[in-house]
Amino acid sequence: MAFLGIFGNYDKPGPGVSKDEPPKSAPVRFFEILGRKFGKLVQLNLIFLIPFVVAVALMVVISFSPIHFVLQLPVGDGAIQLDVWYLYAVPLPVILLSPFTAGLTYVTRNFAREEHAFVWSDFWENVKGNWKYFLMNGALVYLVYVILSFSILYYYNATSRGWLYYIPFWVCLVLGIFFLFAQYYLPVMFVTFDLKFGQAYRNAFIFSLAGLGRNILITVVLGALLYLLLAVIPLNGLVIMILLLITVFLLFSLISYFINFTVYPVVERYLIKPYEKKMEEEKNGGKAAAAPQEDPEVARFYAQPEEDEDDDDEDKMVYVNGRLIKKSQLKNRNLDE
C-alpha cells in the first residue's frame, strides 16, 4: 500500500530515545510523540477507516428497514416512546468493527511506549491474531449496553413514582461507569498479555479502581470534547467539513493513542514490571517471588494459570513481538512453523 507512505517511510525504524536522556513530564512526552508520529497516526486512521465505513454502511441499511419496535415507558401520569430499533438494532454492526481495534490498539500502544511499529503489517497481523477476544468483547459490550441503557432509562423514568427507584438507577449508572473504565484497559491487555478472557476482565475491573484518576481524566476529556461538539460549537458547513476531515484522517487513531498513553503506565506498573523483576531474579539465580516485596498490591494482578513450584524453565514468561507468552508456547509455535 504505497499510497499510505505519502507521509513518510514507515518501514524504517527511527533512532529511538537515548537511555541517558532525563525523563520528561507526561504532557511533554505526549505531544512530542504526537508530533513525531503524526503522519503514522494519519496512516493508521486511514486503515481503520476501511472497516469503519463498512460498519456505518451496514448501520444505515438497518436504519432504513421498515421494521421498527417502539416501547412505551411510563412517566408519572403519561408515557414516553422509545424507538428500540434505532437504539439497539442499528448499532449491531459495531460488534463487527471491534476486531479491527486490535490493530489500532497495538500500533498506538507501541507509540505510547515509544517503540517502533510497522503501521500496515502490524495492524493486520494483530487483527488476525486477536480477533476472537476483541469480537467476544464487542458482543459483551453490546449486551451490557442494551441491559444497562434500558435499565437506566426505565429506573430514571420510574423515579417519578417513588424515591426507591433511585437506588437501582444509581447502581446501574455506577456499574456502567466502571464497565466503561474497564474498556480503557482491555484492548491493551488483549494485545500485550497471554491471558484468558475472564482473567483480562478481572484485571481490567481492578484497574478501573487502581487507575481511577486516569480513568476520570480520559472520560472528562472525551466527554468535554463531545459536549463542545453537540452543545457549544454551532454546526455549519465549514464546521461539518472540518469534523469530517478530522474523522477521516485522525479521530480514531488519536483517541486510541490518548487512551493508551494514559493507561499504559498503570498496566506497566502492575503487570509488566513485576514480570520483568521476576525474570531478572531468575536470571540472576535468585528465587522469584509471586510479586515484588515492596509493592504487594501487584499480586492481585497475577492472573496466569497456577503453576507448581517445580515447573521447569518452559513456564517462564518472555516478550515476543511486544507480547508476553510462555516459553513452552513459543517452542510449540516455532515447531508449527
Side-chain angles (χ1 to χ4, degrees):
M1 302 299 292
F3 74 91
L4 290 174
I6 60 177
F7 301 99
N9 180 14
Y10 64 88
D11 291 329
K12 183 178 180 181
V17 180
S18 172
K19 292 182 179 179
D20 299 327
E21 186 176 340
K24 299 177 181 179
S25 64
V28 172
R29 287 190 297 107
F30 177 86
F31 287 105
E32 281 189 351
I33 297 171
L34 179 61
R36 292 199 308 268
K37 303 295 185 181
F38 187 83
K40 293 185 177 182
L41 288 172
V42 172
Q43 297 165 17
L44 180 63
N45 203 82
L46 289 172
I47 297 171
F48 186 77
L49 199 68
I50 300 171
F52 175 77
V53 169
V54 175
V56 170
L58 290 173
M59 291 173 66
V60 171
V61 170
I62 296 174
S63 68
F64 282 112
S65 171
I67 304 173
H68 279 260
F69 299 101
V70 178
L71 188 66
Q72 288 189 342
L73 291 180
V75 180
D77 296 331
I80 61 169
Q81 290 188 337
L82 198 64
D83 195 326
V84 179
W85 184 263
Y86 275 111
L87 276 176
Y88 302 129
V90 173
L92 266 172
V94 176
I95 299 176
L96 301 177
L97 184 64
S98 55
F100 298 95
T101 59
L104 193 69
T105 300
Y106 180 85
V107 176
T108 55
R109 181 212 65 179
N110 277 21
F111 290 167
R113 63 186 192 185
E114 301 188 68
E115 293 182 357
H116 178 70
F118 295 97
V119 179
W120 177 262
S121 58
D122 283 344
F123 179 92
W124 293 109
E125 181 180 342
N126 280 273
V127 171
K128 180 181 178 181
N130 298 284
W131 69 268
K132 183 178 179 181
Y133 274 10
F134 277 84
L135 186 61
M136 290 169 58
N137 187 54
L140 184 57
V141 168
Y142 172 78
L143 181 62
V144 171
Y145 158 71
V146 170
I147 295 173
L148 287 183
S149 63
F150 180 80
S151 299
I152 289 171
L153 286 171
Y154 175 81
Y155 288 123
Y156 178 75
N157 288 292
T159 54
S160 61
R161 304 200 304 267
W163 65 269
L164 281 176
Y165 286 101
Y166 277 107
I167 298 175
F169 167 75
W170 281 106
V171 169
C172 292
L173 195 62
V174 171
L175 286 176
I177 291 172
F178 279 99
F179 187 81
L180 173 65
F181 288 172
Q183 296 305 312
Y184 297 152
Y185 297 91
L186 281 165
V188 72
M189 284 198 292
F190 286 153
V191 301
T192 305
F193 302 100
D194 222 17
L195 297 174
K196 293 181 179 180
F197 189 76
Q199 294 169 342
Y201 252 91
R202 170 186 174 273
N203 285 351
F205 276 110
I206 296 175
F207 285 143
S208 67
L209 289 172
L212 186 61
R214 294 173 182 268
N215 305 334
I216 293 175
L217 172 65
I218 295 171
T219 307
V220 168
V221 170
L222 296 181
L225 292 175
L226 185 62
Y227 175 77
L228 288 174
L229 176 61
L230 297 179
V232 178
I233 301 177
L235 291 180
N236 52 46
L238 178 60
V239 172
I240 292 174
M241 180 60 66
I242 292 174
L243 292 175
L244 182 61
L245 290 174
I246 292 174
T247 301
V248 170
F249 291 104
L250 199 60
L251 179 65
F252 307 108
S253 60
L254 183 59
I255 291 176
S256 179
Y257 166 65
F258 170 59
I259 292 175
N260 285 321
F261 183 90
T262 306
V263 305
Y264 188 77
V266 179
V267 177
E268 184 179 44
R269 177 190 175 190
Y270 289 108
L271 285 177
I272 295 178
K273 285 187 176 180
Y275 275 125
E276 291 177 344
K277 180 178 177 65
K278 182 179 179 181
M279 288 186 289
E280 185 65 25
E281 289 176 348
E282 292 179 352
K283 181 180 178 181
N284 295 332
K287 188 174 181 181
Q293 293 297 323
E294 62 274 12
D295 193 359
E297 236 181 67
V298 300
R300 298 181 301 165
F301 296 89
Y302 277 73
Q304 65 199 64
E306 294 183 359
E307 303 174 359
D308 296 331
E309 292 183 357
D310 57 348
D311 279 350
D312 58 18
D313 187 64
E314 292 187 350
D315 285 327
K316 292 181 181 179
M317 306 298 290
V318 294
Y319 267 114
V320 178
N321 295 327
R323 191 180 183 90
L324 277 170
I325 64 174
K326 289 186 178 181
K327 284 187 176 181
S328 57
Q329 294 173 320
L330 178 61
K331 287 183 179 180
N332 294 334
R333 185 179 301 177
N334 292 334
L335 290 174
D336 291 339
E337 294 175 354

